Amino acid sequence: MAPGELLTSGPAPPAQGRAPLWLRAHVGGLLFSLGCAIQRHCGKVLFVGLLAFGALALGLRGAAVETDLERLWVEVGSRVSQELRYTKEKLGEEAVYTSQTLIQTARHPGESVLTPEALGLHLQAALAASKVQVSLYGKSWDLNKICYKAGVPVIENGMIERMIEKLFPCVILTPLDCFWEGAKLQGGSAYLPGRPDIQWTNLDPEQLLEELGPFASLEGFRELLDKAQVGQAYVGRPCLHPSDPHCPASAPNRQSRQVPDVARELSGGCHGFSRKFMHWQEELLLGSPVRSPQGRLLSAEALQSTFLLMSPRQLYDHYRGDYETHDISWSESQAGAVLQAWQRRFVELAQQAIPQNASQQIHAFSATTLDDLLRSFSDISAVRVAGGYLLMLAYACVTMLRWDCSKSQGAVGLAGVLLVALSVASGLGLCSLLGMTFNAATTQVLPFLALGIGVDDMFLLAHAFTEAPSGTPLQERTGECLQRMGTSVVLTSVNNLVAFFMAALVPIPALRAFSLQAAVVVGCNFAAVLLIFPAILSLDLHRRHRQRLDVLCCFSSPCSSRVIQIQPQELGEGQVPRSGAHLTATVQAFARCDTAGQHVVTILPPTTHLTSLPTESLGSQLFGPMGSTRDLLGQVPGPGRGQVCRPLPCARWNLSRFARCQYAPLLLQPRTKGLVLVLFGALLGLSLYGATWVQDGLTLTDVVPRGTKEYDFLAAQIKYFSLYEVALVTQGGFDYARSQQALLDLHKRFSALKSVLAPQPPRSWLHRYSAWLQGLQAAFDQDWAAGRITRHSCRNGSEDGALAYRLLIQTGDAKEPLDYSQLDKRKLVDADGLILPELFYVGLTVWVSRDPLGLAASQANFYPPPPEWLHDKYDSTGESLHIPAAQPLEFAQFPFLLSGLRQTADFVEAIEGARAACAEAARAGIRAYPSGSPFLFWEQYLGLRRCFLLAVCVLLACTFVVCALLLLSPWTAGLIVLVLAMMTVELFGIMGFLGIKLSAIPVVILVASVGIGVEFTAHVALGFLTATGSRDARSAQALEHMFAPVMDGAVSTLLGLLMLAGSDFDFIVRYFFVVLTVLTGLGLLHGLVLLPVLLSIIGPPPQVPLPDGGGRPPCPDPVSLPLSPPHFFLGPSPAFRAPETGAGDAPSTFILPPAHSHILVEASKDPSFPTITVVQTYKDGSPGSGLPPLTATAGSEARWGPHASPGAFTTVTASVTVALHPPPLPGSYVQEVPEEARPPMAGESKGPGPRC
């Protein structure tokens, strides 16, 4: 019953029920006016709506897809994002270098790779990767041109400087550096007259300097090499294969030809060409090492080599203005393209380097591989999108087709799905116009999720449109539909909007964008279903009015030629029920023209099969026939007739009938209710247990498709090399010179963390800087004691002594910059190893300029960078003696390695320890923060569960407010929120059993599940509120009306999600398809099983109070028609009351015919499908003995009295379908139809015998 009908019926409700009823009527009136306006201008509304949505959809042409991990996953506004922004402000957008990695493992798990053969295969793969060349922009690019180099020293001799620049090695972290074969990976070469090409495989730096000594002054360069401990470089290391003819004679095992002990050589790690500054820790090279009780390395299961390349910015700057690129308009984008092309070729050749039948396998990975992976992850699969939407089109068309053409809505289903598809496209286009970037979650999931959610309300309106109450004028059909179901559409859409907006509280940019885009799409779906879809329904109404076929609307409908007749009959004494329950039978009647062709009549044929309803409280309620024309029960033969055929049961089965006749009576039995409560309580308890199994985390292996080479690499990396480069960054805002001890304490505290690989002795920039100054002081003291350095000259002292001399005389005063009296009064470094504060920034300039090969100072990434300064001990002028001080530091870093981080709990522990160390340093005035990928991507888990609980609680509160305002019943809103909370807890618990980890993505789905769950609960709750009778009866009526729409919505959602199951990414299948499918199943169970049971037990009272505690609302005044003969009336039925339950049947139209007559009801202009109740008195009954008294109202009209005897008559309920034949005539008439004049039924033979 519509809210407007409730208001106009019976006496005024009590004061406490007036406000909700008035508000509901007011809202219903607004929706009614909106629907009528749309119906009047349906063509214009459809045209303008499609035009507007199509224009918005064009915004997709400018859609941008974001694949940058930092922009996708770093929490907006968090301390991590602020720290990242600070780092980029000081150092720029680009990283210092990019890494390309090779991991080698044995094909059979557990085998050791510490054998010469395994290392030989590793060399083969690494050598193939290092020799990669790509041709781009007319140039050839190899590793030596694009690799990262720590810093080429500046040499005064130009020829030597050019030779060193060509030879200077790339930074490659590889276990091969423990052997001479590591030199083969370095591709540089130089030429000197009279010598073969100089390469690292034959370069002995000590011997070369001796040969060049007579021709050039290389003392400064020799000193740099000595301080870096270069020595003989690679030629002094053992050969992996001593039989190699190129193995140098200086190799320790060259003469003995003895194969080296690989485990002993690799124990403790390896060194690059500089033993002092290039130490590759064992954890960087070996995976899963096994040691003896004495600590001796025995075996390992994996080897790892890492190639470092320049960043695009560095590569651009390196070749900007160079002769190599002068003719190609060199740009940073071209530099990036060169690096990407090289990295792709690197991965390809490295994976092909080892034969398939080898005992080892190589896994290669690069930064470009990850970018390509994310880009493919974000690509939209046109095939899956098209397949999903075509499947939805087929389902909508099939499920809305009816055998009765006047009720079939196949074309409406097709148009509705296409409209939802357009609204999804327009919503995404609007997001693009608003500047929202798309990501993998948007492109892979949102089109299907939005389709599944969007068609739910479409099905709801379509079902409601076919169930319009009898007597609704044609021009008000759309308004009446929106009046009845518009509130449900608004309720579910608003809750979905609120849910996705609440999900945007999750501060991950990718998920926030997904949630906001989903909210925009849901808003567009809401506008399309509420404004444009009613116009489609109105146009389809015109099609039905003109008797056109569904879908094939160019053809006329044959429905008007079908006839069923019903004739009331007198009952015998044995057929009279003693309990007072009503005898009902549901049949179908429809219209045909009379013989004159002028009138369209509905013929109600006789029936003899009447059944008594059960006597339980539920059974005593009369359920009016709802549903489509497939509800046909058949033609029942009357007395003296031959047999006729009955339609098959499948032709009259539908969901509404199933809910009314089978499901609701079974569900609402007391035993079933108890069982339902017990089972759902057990499910809740089991889910609470499963919630304890849910672990936090999301790794790349969860995202990358299984079975791919990328997945194999990531799995091996996590298993064997869970190492992460991090840095402890110190900011500006404090005095570094006077905070050295606090800085050292911070470094010590950070080094003591469980997951930190801290080298011994410590090798931070501050330690190296202090040690370097101590070396200078020691050299100065020796020169001073020997008299080589005096107060006025340092020309005779050593290079280091002269540097200390110049540092010691600095005052830092611009007016008096030099003070020679300080030479013997102070030291550069005190006894505690702390640098003299007034010399800190002056010494920093000298150290960075004189750092051997730039390998120590480069690790600090100082900002602002200290000025360049050249030292010449023979220049003693005042300007040369003055050293410019570096500016106060605003950025410096201590690099660290974190190891053993495999589970999210390990990351969280490391992050908490690092943050605690920084917090402790802050109390000493040090501003510092940790930086690196663990802090970028795992810090979200510190507060993820708290954010999840906050978002769910806020959303449940918002859902309660929205439901309470729209349903006007806080009681009902509380029950809905209770069910939604149970769904969320159960979904969370099931995730634990399925092994789905908690990350920002499941959090968004869990938060959105509250809004999606409203789709399954709000309709049933609203149907319960607007129904009348006992709680059981109202629950049954709500199920009858809402079972089919809710089920169709669930199936449509599953069909929308079905395409996700075909994704190439297991991540999409596990984290979206599985979770959302479970959510849909839980929604069905809670909306159609638990909620009706709860409503039948503790549901709120009806919003229309019943007089005298009755079980039905007061009847509206009957609408009597002047009929002949005088005892034939058409109007609302009287109020029946069952003595044992106090409940009666729902109001319906009734006809009281005279005895021995057929009933013909002329079709009105409105093609509605009224419910007719045929009332027949008992045998020899009269109005005085069994019928309610009749009262005259005006002229020949008569009305039923307000009371009736419950056992005085039998009812036959018929669902009548009226087909139109213009011109329609108003009014009704009665015509006696003798048996012999009755036209034969369709398929009925005129001859004797059985008729089919």
Side-chain angles (χ1 to χ4, degrees):
M1 178 178 290
E5 296 174 0
L6 290 173
L7 267 183
T8 59
S9 61
Q16 65 269 20
R18 292 177 184 174
L21 209 55
W22 181 87
L23 287 174
R24 187 179 300 285
H26 184 68
V27 173
L30 293 177
L31 293 171
F32 178 81
S33 301
L34 174 65
C36 292
I38 292 175
Q39 184 172 350
R40 285 195 303 272
H41 308 286
C42 56
K44 299 176 183 177
V45 170
L46 184 61
F47 176 76
V48 173
L50 294 179
L51 190 64
F53 277 74
L56 290 176
L58 294 177
L60 284 173
R61 299 176 61 185
V65 178
E66 182 62 73
T67 58
D68 185 85
L69 277 178
E70 290 182 359
R71 294 195 181 104
L72 288 174
W73 290 103
V74 177
E75 297 183 24
V76 178
S78 66
R79 61 184 177 187
V80 174
S81 65
Q82 296 172 3
E83 294 161 358
L84 184 63
R85 183 167 60 251
Y86 183 86
T87 302
K88 290 183 176 181
E89 287 176 357
K90 303 306 178 184
L91 300 184
E93 294 286 336
E94 292 288 347
V96 178
Y97 51 78
T98 58
S99 301
Q100 326 334 295
T101 307
L102 298 179
I103 294 179
Q104 176 179 324
T105 60
R107 292 193 181 275
H108 303 289
E111 290 186 2
S112 176
V113 295
L114 301 185
T115 63
E117 293 76 17
L119 273 176
L121 291 174
H122 194 76
L123 172 64
Q124 184 178 337
L127 192 60
S130 66
K131 301 304 180 185
V132 168
Q133 288 188 355
V134 293
S135 296
L136 213 61
Y137 309 116
K139 309 292 180 181
S140 178
W141 305 90
D142 58 17
L143 176 63
N144 197 52
K145 289 183 178 180
I146 65 175
C147 70
Y148 174 77
K149 300 180 180 182
V152 180
V154 178
I155 307 299
E156 296 177 358
N157 189 300
M159 181 189 70
I160 301 299
E161 182 179 1
R162 287 191 296 272
M163 183 186 69
I164 292 176
E165 183 177 359
K166 292 180 179 180
L167 277 175
F168 204 80
C170 299
V171 178
I172 304 175
L173 288 70
T174 174
L176 296 170
D177 274 349
C178 284
F179 307 93
W180 166 76
E181 280 78 1
K184 294 184 177 182
L185 304 183
Q186 304 292 345
S189 63
Y191 172 74
L192 284 178
R195 288 180 57 95
D197 284 350
I198 302 176
Q199 297 177 347
W200 282 102
T201 54
N202 59 15
L203 173 62
D204 184 345
E206 295 178 347
Q207 181 182 354
L208 180 64
L209 289 178
E210 290 179 1
E211 294 178 359
L212 296 178
F215 306 100
S217 176
L218 299 175
E219 288 300 321
F221 182 57
R222 185 191 300 273
E223 185 177 357
L224 287 178
L225 295 181
D226 290 341
K227 288 183 177 180
Q229 299 178 7
V230 173
Q232 290 183 301
Y234 290 98
V235 296
R237 302 176 187 181
C239 294
L240 188 62
H241 300 289
S243 58
D244 188 334
H246 297 95
C247 179
S250 55
N253 61 340
R254 177 69 173 85
Q255 300 300 327
S256 65
R257 302 294 179 103
Q258 183 178 359
V259 177
D261 185 344
V262 173
R264 183 170 60 84
E265 295 293 338
L266 291 178
S267 181
C270 301
H271 296 85
F273 76 98
S274 168
R275 287 187 172 272
K276 183 175 182 179
F277 299 112
M278 291 184 170
H279 175 242
W280 320 138
Q281 293 170 274
E282 181 183 303
E283 291 81 2
L284 292 170
L285 309 177
L286 305 181
S288 298
V290 178
R291 296 184 177 275
S292 67
Q294 294 75 28
R296 180 171 172 267
L297 179 64
L298 299 178
S299 65
E301 296 184 22
L303 300 171
Q304 177 175 259
S305 292
T306 304
F307 296 73
L308 303 186
L309 304 183
M310 286 187 280
S311 67
R313 181 69 184 180
Q314 285 179 323
L315 185 60
Y316 167 70
D317 290 338
H318 184 74
Y319 286 101
R320 183 174 55 180
D322 190 88
Y323 177 78
E324 189 80 21
T325 58
H326 75 283
D327 57 340
I328 59 174
S329 301
W330 184 240
S331 65
E332 189 172 346
S333 61
Q334 290 176 324
V338 169
L339 289 172
Q340 290 178 355
W342 193 93
Q343 290 175 72
R344 293 189 182 99
R345 187 63 176 162
F346 167 88
V347 173
E348 181 182 351
L349 290 183
Q351 292 173 341
Q352 297 174 357
I354 294 183
Q356 294 292 330
N357 59 352
S359 61
Q360 307 287 312
Q361 53 186 352
I362 289 290
H363 311 289
F365 199 78
S366 71
T368 300
T369 304
L370 181 60
D371 292 338
D372 293 342
L373 186 65
L374 292 176
R375 192 172 294 109
S376 65
F377 189 44
S378 302
D379 289 341
I380 299 178
S381 174
V383 174
R384 287 197 297 117
V385 171
Y389 280 73
L390 287 175
L391 187 62
M392 188 67 73
L393 283 170
Y395 173 77
C397 181
V398 170
T399 194
M400 299 180 72
L401 280 173
R402 297 291 185 269
W403 296 110
D404 188 344
C405 303
S406 61
K407 282 194 173 183
S408 184
Q409 291 181 302
V412 171
L414 293 174
V417 173
L418 292 175
L419 176 64
V420 171
L422 178 61
S423 70
V424 172
S426 64
L428 295 177
L430 179 59
C431 292
S432 177
L433 295 175
L434 294 175
M436 299 183 190
T437 57
F438 295 167
N439 55 69
T442 303
T443 57
Q444 295 283 331
V445 177
L446 190 54
F448 306 104
L449 179 61
L451 172 65
I453 295 176
V455 297
D456 291 354
D457 291 331
M458 182 269 291
F459 279 119
L460 183 69
L461 289 182
H463 276 280
F465 198 74
T466 62
E467 299 174 355
S470 59
T472 305
L474 178 65
Q475 64 274 14
E476 297 178 359
R477 287 292 300 281
T478 306
E480 187 278 333
C481 178
L482 286 185
Q483 183 184 33
R484 282 190 294 125
M485 290 301 170
T487 303
S488 291
V489 174
V490 173
L491 180 62
T492 56
S493 299
V494 170
N495 274 287
N496 278 328
L497 280 172
V498 173
F500 283 115
F501 278 126
M502 287 298 104
L505 290 175
V506 178
I508 307 300
L511 281 308
R512 175 167 289 179
F514 171 79
S515 302
L516 292 177
Q517 289 161 355
V520 171
V521 171
V522 168
C524 290
N525 282 344
F526 173 50
V529 171
L530 196 64
L531 299 177
I532 302 179
F533 187 65
I536 296 175
L537 291 173
S538 301
L539 290 175
D540 187 67
L541 187 62
H542 286 287
R543 185 268 307 171
R544 295 159 62 188
H545 182 59
R546 296 180 181 179
Q547 304 179 44
R548 299 289 185 178
L549 283 175
D550 189 17
V551 182
L552 305 175
C553 56
C554 297
F555 300 94
S556 298
S557 169
C559 294
S560 58
S561 63
R562 297 155 59 187
V563 176
I564 295 178
Q565 293 185 336
I566 300 177
Q567 181 182 15
Q569 73 170 54
E570 297 179 356
L571 301 177
E573 295 293 341
Q575 295 175 286
V576 179
R578 299 184 181 276
S579 64
H582 303 103
L583 298 177
T584 65
T586 303
V587 298
Q588 177 113 20
F590 39 88
R592 75 172 291 177
C593 294
D594 64 352
T595 55
Q598 297 297 321
H599 303 290
V600 181
V601 296
T602 297
I603 304 172
L604 309 178
T607 181
T608 57
H609 286 70
L610 302 179
T611 59
S612 177
L613 292 176
T615 59
E616 292 87 358
S617 59
L618 174 63
S620 63
Q621 308 294 326
L622 281 180
F623 299 95
M626 306 299 291
S628 68
T629 55
R630 291 183 295 181
D631 291 342
L632 188 59
L633 286 182
Q635 306 171 27
V636 186
R641 291 170 173 262
Q643 296 180 350
V644 295
C645 291
R646 301 181 183 181
L648 296 174
C650 60
R652 58 179 184 264
W653 187 93
N654 65 10
L655 290 174
S656 296
R657 183 180 184 85
F658 168 75
R660 178 178 69 250
C661 299
Q662 283 88 30
Y663 182 69
L666 175 63
L667 178 65
L668 299 178
Q669 290 180 3
R671 291 183 179 178
T672 308
K673 293 179 186 179
L675 180 62
V676 166
L677 295 178
V678 170
L679 290 178
F680 275 89
L683 177 60
L684 181 61
L686 192 63
S687 300
L688 290 173
Y689 173 69
T692 62
W693 288 22
V694 177
Q695 298 179 354
D696 295 344
L698 178 66
T699 62
L700 282 176
T701 52
D702 296 323
V703 178
V704 178
R706 295 178 182 269
T708 61
K709 295 180 179 179
E710 293 83 1
Y711 179 88
D712 294 337
F713 172 86
L714 293 171
Q717 187 182 53
I718 292 175
K719 181 179 180 180
Y720 300 114
F721 300 99
S722 57
L723 295 173
Y724 296 87
E725 296 180 6
V726 299
L728 183 58
V729 176
T730 52
Q731 302 172 261
F734 68 95
D735 190 351
Y736 278 72
R738 287 175 169 78
S739 302
Q740 296 176 58
Q741 187 59 53
L743 288 170
L744 293 174
D745 291 342
L746 173 61
H747 184 275
K748 182 178 180 181
R749 195 178 298 113
F750 201 93
S751 301
L753 295 178
K754 175 183 175 182
S755 57
V756 171
L757 281 177
Q760 295 297 331
R763 294 196 293 263
S764 73
W765 66 267
L766 189 54
H767 290 95
R768 295 182 184 278
Y769 179 23
S770 175
W772 177 77
L773 287 177
Q774 287 175 341
L776 296 186
Q777 183 69 52
F780 173 82
D781 292 342
Q782 291 178 1
D783 291 341
W784 181 269
R788 290 187 294 269
I789 293 180
T790 65
R791 189 177 301 273
H792 302 289
S793 175
C794 63
R795 297 170 61 90
N796 296 325
S798 63
E799 192 78 16
D800 287 351
L803 280 174
Y805 173 89
R806 299 197 176 198
L807 285 171
L808 288 171
I809 63 176
Q810 305 296 317
T811 65
D813 188 353
K815 295 182 180 181
E816 298 290 339
L818 305 177
D819 184 358
Y820 294 94
S821 65
Q822 301 177 134
L823 283 172
D824 56 351
K825 295 180 180 179
R826 61 179 182 176
K827 301 290 185 180
L828 296 175
V829 181
D830 65 15
D832 296 326
L834 302 181
I835 303 167
L836 198 65
E838 53 267 28
L839 294 180
F840 184 85
Y841 286 108
V842 176
L844 194 65
T845 298
V846 178
W847 179 54
V848 172
S849 301
R850 300 289 298 175
D851 177 37
L853 305 180
L855 296 176
S858 62
Q859 299 177 6
N861 279 330
F862 292 125
Y863 183 86
E868 292 185 0
W869 181 76
L870 293 177
H871 172 242
D872 184 0
K873 71 176 183 178
Y874 300 106
D875 187 355
S876 58
T877 60
E879 182 178 350
S880 173
L881 291 176
H882 175 67
I883 302 174
Q887 298 181 40
L889 292 176
E890 298 179 13
F891 185 97
Q893 66 182 25
F894 299 124
F896 288 96
L897 277 177
L898 299 183
S899 67
L901 304 182
R902 292 181 173 85
Q903 302 297 327
T904 303
D906 301 330
F907 287 94
V908 171
E909 181 182 359
I911 293 170
E912 290 176 341
R915 291 295 181 185
C918 293
E920 184 70 22
R923 287 189 280 272
I926 304 297
R927 300 178 57 194
Y929 62 85
S931 175
S933 58
F935 304 96
L936 290 180
F937 306 120
W938 273 273
E939 183 145 342
Q940 58 178 290
Y941 295 103
L942 295 180
L944 183 64
R945 295 196 177 223
R946 182 175 63 253
C947 178
F948 164 57
L949 290 176
L950 174 64
V952 169
C953 292
V954 172
L955 179 55
L956 288 174
C958 292
T959 302
F960 175 81
V961 173
V962 172
C963 292
L965 290 177
L966 292 180
L967 295 178
L968 307 171
S969 172
W971 189 338
T972 308
L975 287 177
I976 291 177
V977 169
L978 173 64
V979 172
L980 294 177
M982 290 180 62
M983 286 177 54
T984 305
V985 172
E986 290 162 7
L987 180 60
F988 188 73
I990 293 175
M991 283 173 47
F993 290 123
L994 294 177
I996 296 175
K997 299 178 182 178
L998 184 67
S999 63
I1001 293 177
V1003 165
V1004 168
I1005 297 178
L1006 286 166
V1007 174
S1009 68
V1010 178
I1012 297 174
V1014 175
E1015 298 273 356
F1016 302 100
T1017 56
H1019 303 319
V1020 176
L1022 183 61
F1024 181 84
L1025 276 179
T1026 55
T1028 57
S1030 67
R1031 284 193 177 103
D1032 282 344
R1034 292 160 60 204
S1035 297
Q1037 292 177 44
L1039 283 174
E1040 178 188 354
H1041 289 278
M1042 298 301 175
F1043 189 89
V1046 171
M1047 187 63 70
D1048 282 337
V1051 173
S1052 64
T1053 302
L1054 290 175
L1055 289 177
L1057 299 174
L1058 186 60
M1059 291 298 103
L1060 298 178
S1063 174
D1064 295 331
F1065 295 90
D1066 293 338
F1067 170 76
I1068 294 294
V1069 177
R1070 284 173 52 81
Y1071 282 80
F1072 284 98
F1073 171 73
V1074 173
V1075 175
L1076 290 172
T1077 300
V1078 171
L1079 171 60
T1080 304
L1082 289 175
L1084 273 180
L1085 289 175
H1086 287 76
L1088 297 180
V1089 179
L1090 178 61
L1091 183 59
V1093 170
L1094 291 177
L1095 290 172
S1096 69
I1097 299 173
I1098 56 173
Q1103 291 186 337
V1104 183
L1106 304 180
D1108 303 326
R1112 51 163 295 144
C1115 289
D1117 293 337
V1119 181
S1120 304
L1121 298 176
L1123 302 172
S1124 178
H1127 293 298
F1128 183 40
F1129 299 96
L1130 178 63
S1133 60
F1136 301 106
R1137 181 175 301 169
E1140 62 277 3
T1141 61
D1145 65 316
S1148 60
T1149 307
F1150 72 91
I1151 299 175
L1152 175 62
H1156 310 296
S1157 64
H1158 290 270
I1159 305 164
L1160 283 74
V1161 182
E1162 182 178 345
S1164 65
K1165 187 177 181 181
D1166 173 29
S1168 62
F1169 316 112
T1171 298
I1172 304 297
T1173 300
V1174 181
V1175 183
Q1176 171 64 46
T1177 61
Y1178 292 149
K1179 185 175 182 182
D1180 298 330
S1182 64
S1185 60
L1187 293 175
L1190 298 175
T1191 56
T1193 55
S1196 59
E1197 296 182 1
R1199 295 177 180 272
W1200 286 104
H1203 305 288
S1205 174
F1209 33 83
T1210 300
T1211 61
V1212 178
T1213 306
S1215 178
V1216 180
T1217 301
V1218 180
L1220 294 181
H1221 181 79
L1225 300 177
S1228 300
Y1229 69 96
V1230 175
Q1231 175 181 346
E1232 294 287 342
V1233 184
E1235 182 68 24
E1236 60 274 6
R1238 182 184 66 81
M1241 304 296 294
E1244 185 177 328
S1245 173
K1246 294 184 180 180
R1251 293 186 292 270
C1252 294

